[in-house]
């Protein structure tokens, strides 16, 4: 069974994001980028499936500008076998990405697609679900455990009320949550090997997918700054402030 | 090893002295209750507890000056104190010192930030981490960084010429200070807050106060150098072929990565074992165990520098040469931070394994591996089951050559070997042209040891400087130099 892992290049999770002065988006020049943390977990899971003899090949795919290849190399260094780069400088929105992935699935015929549950830039949490609907495959979102059981996958989903255990039929689309695994580090020998692994280049046009954005961003602004805290002198003062200033009691 | 001074009688203060202090600093600037004083006289590792009659906390330079004048008039000795994280008991008053503690913690304002001049002017009580953060807010970098940065104060860093993890590129505190404001032992204010990179108008007095451990005057403010904020950072956790390979590996880094190299830290397998056993959230970055590791970091102030590519080709070269056998490369900031968390735990986790006899040594870089091998052989000959724990800033020629106790031995029985083991190790250090205190200073803990190894002329010149700046020997007496008061 081939496993396809779509991965995204985003601003490093520990970088303080700044809004561009013209309010058209966030500042990306001179900012450290990295693989979306949930995508790392997806790659790790796919590589573990291969190590366990369940997956025959792990393919990482990324849609985006030329630098997305760096992110693919990271996936390859973690143990994926080959990469697909869908070159595009468009603002790719979840539906467009899901359509691109559907086309890749048609070409590659994987038995399983594993994605991060969301990308930390747009926090959309949509691509996996849309892909599953477009393919007509089963879906398991927000998974924190998985186990193969014949033709079924037994998965644990992190839902609002706690954990939900379900079985899904293969082929399936899974999106992974934080607790599923701890991604491995990329080792130097594996980074060197990754440089020799193939990355196929394709494009939305090659795949026959129209990717023009359907949602228009009007303006991006910083959230209002939090007012500084104050140290109150007494419980009475605190109660007074809660009552008369904050008006919460 | 000097004994604990718990329960020693409190030094008595002259008539009316406390009331006069209170006049200067008000109630909130004066601590006299035993439980409030205790944290100020307890060394951070808890090994020593001192004694003092009061802790005074002035809020302004003017108040510091008035306090010092009062102390000078009444012949009361003063121990300046920052975050009290020092490791040689330099910032604590002991009963025999008959001193009060002057804490700078209320003097914590950033007075000026000048991104164009790449400088900031801060008061001595600013916590180091707050200074780093303030610089980051104007897109600048203040490179001094050490394990205690959340607690230690810039005044304490300067007074002890602290080093840390970026010395290889930016130098230690001495290299990062352009100007100082100092209150003298007699209560005068010297305004040396010049933010100039060039100033050849006489003796460089600030350098005397840097590393003086509070024995010459009270630092109240400083002008610090800033650098471009880090935009790209490459961090690797590396397994060495053998200890000796650290040297060509460093040399190669300097020629391939060049000045972008910030940190080059040695970690022994025993340190990794301790961290994996005792710390939470620590994983071994590499698949197999190795005897020696280096944590290496390089950074650039722009992204164009293409640092990651250089960094990878450097490591590939080192792998080909056999100097390294494996390495993990951080793919994002969180992974880089986890390597550093591991490094911090190398320091912290020794405690969980019983007694540790400390050495903070430097030798010329070229003989570091030879030093470690020789010292290991010597201490093992003395006590065969001892567990040498050499780690730290190897890129600076500085090793924390600590010795963890044999597994089954009683802790106190082990610590009784402190002086003997110090002598064995320090003899080797001095013979190799090294220093018995690379970055932690002398304080009270290494006073005798320093007198043993330094030439009489060098000690005498230091005493003459002290005598001229602090004629009554009231500044932190008994630290760094012997107490000469009656
Ligand atoms: C976990 C940990 C890691 C550390 N790592 C390093 C490291 O990597 N490199 C390194 O060099 N050190 C290291 N240290 C020790 C280091 O020297 C101190 O943490 C720090 O520099 C001392 O600052 P402080 O404010 O705590 O000073 P204190 O301990 O309060 O005082 C230190 C000395 O400075 C004097 N002093 C303090 N403030 C003033 C002032 N305003 N005017 C005049 N004299 C003053 C005191 O009298 C004393 O002699 C480490 C310590 C810890 C606990
Ligand atoms: C063409 C030219 C260009 C210059 N450009 C610069 C420049 O770009 N930057 C700059 O900083 N300066 C510059 N200078 C001045 C500079 O200070 C000197 O050229 C040089 O540093 C002095 O070295 P010297 O051996 O000639 O010292 P001298 O002129 O012989 O002595 C200078 C001082 O040092 C003392 N001294 C000399 N040797 C010793 C010793 N061994 N021990 C103790 N004290 C000693 C002397 O008593 C005297 O006080 C320039 C000078 C010239 C002529």
């Amino acid at each position: 069974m081939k496993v396809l892992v779509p991965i995204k290049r985003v601003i490093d999770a520990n970088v303080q994001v700044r809004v561009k002065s013209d309010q058209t988006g966030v500042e990306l020049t001179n900012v450290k980028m990295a693989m979306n943390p949930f995508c790392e977990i997806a790659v790790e899971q796919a590589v573990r499936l291969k190590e366990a003899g369940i997956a025959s090949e792990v393919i990482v795919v990324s849609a985006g500008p030329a630098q997305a290849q760096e992110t693919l190399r990271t996936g390859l260094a973690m143990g994926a076998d080959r990469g697909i780069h869908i070159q595009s400088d468009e603002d790719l929105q979840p539906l467009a990405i899901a359509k691109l992935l559907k086309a890749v699935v048609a070409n590659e015929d994987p038995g399983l697609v594993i994605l991060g549950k969301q990308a930390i830039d747009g926090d959309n949490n949509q691509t996996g679900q849309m892909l599953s609907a477009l393919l007509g495959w089963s879906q398991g979102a927000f998974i924190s455990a998985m186990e193969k059981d014949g033709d079924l996958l037994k998965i644990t989903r992190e839902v609002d009320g706690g954990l939900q255990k379900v079985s899904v039929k293969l082929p399936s689309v899974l999106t992974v949550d934080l607790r599923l695994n701890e991604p491995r580090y990329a080792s130097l020998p594996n980074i060197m090997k990754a440089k020799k692994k193939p990355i196929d280049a394709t494009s939305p046009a090659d795949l026959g997918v129209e990717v023009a954005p359907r949602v228009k961003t009007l303006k991006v602004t910083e959230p209002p700054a939090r007012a500084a805290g104050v140290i109150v002198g007494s419980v009475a003062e605190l109660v007074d402030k809660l009552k008369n200033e904050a008006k919460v009691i | 090893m000097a004994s604990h001074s718990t329960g020693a009688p409190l030094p008595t203060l002259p008539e009316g002295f406390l009331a006069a202090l209170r006049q200067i600093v008000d109630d909130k600037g004066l601590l006299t209750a035993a439980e409030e004083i205790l944290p100020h006289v307890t060394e951070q590792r808890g090994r020593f507890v001192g004694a003092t009659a009061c802790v005074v906390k002035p809020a302004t330079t003017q108040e510091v000056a008035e306090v010092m004048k009062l102390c000078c008039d009444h012949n009361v000795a003063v121990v300046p104190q920052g975050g009290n994280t020092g490791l040689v008991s330099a910032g604590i008053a002991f009963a025999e010192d008959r001193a009060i503690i002057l804490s700078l913690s209320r003097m914590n304002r950033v007075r000026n930030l000048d991104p164009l001049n790449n400088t900031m002017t801060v008061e001595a009580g600013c916590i180091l981490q707050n200074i780093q953060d303030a610089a980051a807010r104007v897109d600048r970098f203040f490179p001094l960084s050490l394990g205690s940065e959340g607690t230690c104060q810039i005044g304490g860093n300067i007074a002890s010429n602290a080093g840390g993890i970026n010395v290889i590129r930016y130098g230690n505190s001495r290299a990062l200070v352009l100007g100082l404001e100092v209150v003298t032992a007699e209560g005068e204010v010297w305004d040396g807050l010049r933010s100039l990179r060039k100033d050849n108008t006489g003796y460089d007095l600030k350098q005397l106060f840097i590393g003086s451990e509070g024995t010459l005057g009270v630092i109240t403010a400083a002008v610090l150098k800033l650098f471009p904020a880090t935009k790209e950072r490459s961090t690797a956790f590396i397994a060495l072929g053998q200890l000796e390979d650290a040297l060509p590996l460093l040399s190669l880094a300097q020629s391939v990565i060049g000045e972008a190299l910030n940190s080059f830290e040695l970690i022994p397998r025993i340190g990794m074992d301790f961290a994996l056993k005792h710390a939470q959230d620590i994983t071994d970055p590499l698949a197999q165990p190795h005897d020696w590791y280096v944590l290496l970091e390089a950074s650039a102030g722009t992204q164009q520098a293409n640092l990651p590519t250089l960094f990878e080709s450097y490591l590939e070269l080192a792998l080909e040469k056999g100097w390294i056998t494996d390495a993990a490369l951080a793919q994002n900031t969180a992974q880089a931070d986890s390597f550093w968390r591991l490094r911090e735990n190398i320091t912290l986790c020794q405690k969980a394994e019983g007694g540790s006899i400390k050495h903070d040594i430097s030798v010329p870089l070229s003989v570091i591996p030879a030093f470690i091998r020789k010292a290991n052989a010597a201490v093992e000959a003395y006590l065969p089951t001892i567990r040498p724990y050499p780690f730290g800033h190897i890129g600076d020629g500085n090793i924390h050559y600590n010795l963890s106790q044999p597994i089954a031995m009683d802790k106190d029985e082990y610590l009784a070997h402190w002086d003997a083991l110090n002598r064995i190790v320090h003899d080797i250090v001095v013979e190799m042209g090294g220093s018995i205190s690379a970055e932690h200073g002398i304080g009270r803990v290494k006073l005798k040891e320093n007198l043993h190894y330094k030439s009489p002329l060098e000690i005498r010149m230091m005493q003459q400087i002290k005598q001229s700046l602090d004629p009554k020997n009231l500044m932190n007496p008994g630290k760094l130099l012997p107490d000469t008061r009656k």
Side-chain angles (χ1 to χ4, degrees), chain B residues 312-325:
Chain B
E312 272 179 33
S313 52
Y314 156 65
L315 289 174
E316 284 175 26
L317 217 62
L319 191 72
E320 272 168 34
K321 300 261 190 202
W323 297 332
I324 72 183
T325 53

Side-chain angles (χ1 to χ4, degrees), chain B residues 44 79-87 90-92 104 124 145-148 151-157 159-165 212-215 217-220 343 347-348 393 400 439-440 476:
Chain B
Q44 61 85 33
V79 180
Q81 186 175 79
N84 191 19
T85 66
L87 300 173
I92 291 177
L104 280 297
S145 176
L146 27 137
S148 53
T151 312
C152 64
Q153 299 173 6
I154 194 67
N157 299 142
S160 56
N161 187 26
I165 56 170
S212 67
E213 301 185 21
T215 62
V218 181
I219 297 163
T220 49
R343 165 66 183 85
T347 312
L348 301 174
H393 319 302
H400 298 313
E439 57 173 14
H440 297 158
N476 210 359

Side-chain angles (χ1 to χ4, degrees), chain B residues 72-391:
Chain B
C72 186
D73 290 347
H74 288 83
N75 291 313
V76 173
V78 177
V79 180
Q81 186 175 79
N84 191 19
T85 66
L87 300 173
V88 290
S89 292
I92 291 177
F94 292 86
E96 66 271 22
D97 300 339
R98 292 166 282 139
I100 66 165
I101 289 176
L102 189 159
S103 162
L104 280 297
S105 54
R106 286 173 72 210
M107 290 196 58
N108 58 5
R109 286 182 316 134
V110 174
R111 288 194 194 160
N112 182 35
L113 247 171
D114 185 349
L116 268 184
N117 196 44
N118 278 310
T119 53
M120 71 195 285
T121 307
V122 298
E123 291 184 345
C126 287
I127 288 174
L128 176 55
Q129 194 163 26
N130 295 344
I131 292 175
Q132 298 164 348
D133 292 347
R137 281 195 290 275
V138 293
D139 207 29
R140 292 294 181 274
F141 176 56
F142 182 60
L144 185 64
S145 176
L146 27 137
S148 53
E149 65 197 20
T151 312
C152 64
Q153 299 173 6
I154 194 67
N157 299 142
I158 295 171
S160 56
N161 187 26
I165 56 170
N166 291 322
V167 172
I168 200 170
R169 178 167 180 184
Y170 297 99
N172 44 28
S173 298
R174 190 179 296 291
L176 298 170
V177 174
L178 290 177
L180 285 183
E181 178 185 84
V182 172
V183 173
T184 67
E186 287 157 314
E188 290 179 284
V189 180
W190 170 50
D191 179 359
L193 284 179
R194 277 159 256 175
S195 37
L196 305 174
R197 283 174 177 75
K198 290 190 156 184
D199 175 22
N200 284 350
T201 53
Y203 303 142
D204 195 353
L205 292 178
K206 67 175 181 289
Q207 295 297 352
L208 275 180
F209 293 96
I210 302 174
S212 67
E213 301 185 21
T215 62
L216 298 180
V218 181
I219 297 163
T220 49
V223 181
L224 307 175
K225 276 194 211 171
L226 301 179
F227 297 83
T230 300
K231 294 286 156 54
E232 187 67 74
R233 167 162 95 128
S234 291
T235 315
F237 194 84
I238 297 168
L240 292 177
Q242 53 175 346
L243 174 59
E244 284 69 13
D245 292 331
L247 299 184
L249 185 65
L250 174 61
S251 189
L252 185 69
Q254 283 160 339
S255 62
V256 179
I257 308 175
E259 61 175 17
L261 180 73
N262 313 328
S263 305
F264 195 89
E265 300 279 313
L266 181 73
I267 296 173
R269 180 66 211 180
I270 186 176
M272 180 77 102
D273 288 338
F274 282 18
L276 291 173
K277 186 164 158 203
H278 300 293
Q280 266 155 22
D281 271 343
I282 296 286
T283 47
D284 187 338
L286 302 177
Q288 309 290 330
H290 301 268
D291 288 346
W292 297 99
Y293 305 92
V294 163
L295 173 49
L296 190 153
E297 186 164 282
S299 69
T302 64
Q303 282 224 304
Q304 282 79 344
N306 209 3
L307 183 62
T309 314
L310 263 186
F311 198 70
E312 272 179 33
S313 52
Y314 156 65
L315 289 174
E316 284 175 26
L317 217 62
L319 191 72
E320 272 168 34
K321 300 261 190 202
W323 297 332
I324 72 183
T325 53
D326 197 1
L329 273 74
Q331 300 296 310
N332 53 46
T333 309
Q335 289 186 353
D337 290 348
S338 78
F339 295 165
W340 281 108
R341 216 168 39 243
L342 176 56
R343 165 66 183 85
E344 275 160 30
N345 274 293
I346 302 301
T347 312
L348 301 174
C349 291
Q350 293 165 89
K351 206 172 179 160
E353 291 276 333
S356 171
I357 294 178
K358 316 275 185 192
H359 305 88
D360 166 33
I361 68 96
S362 61
V363 291
L365 188 69
S366 44
V367 294
I368 279 254
F371 163 77
I372 292 176
R373 303 260 185 227
K374 195 165 179 182
N376 283 0
V379 299
E380 280 161 6
Y382 175 81
L383 190 61
T385 49
I386 199 166
R387 292 178 292 166
Y389 197 91
F391 71 97

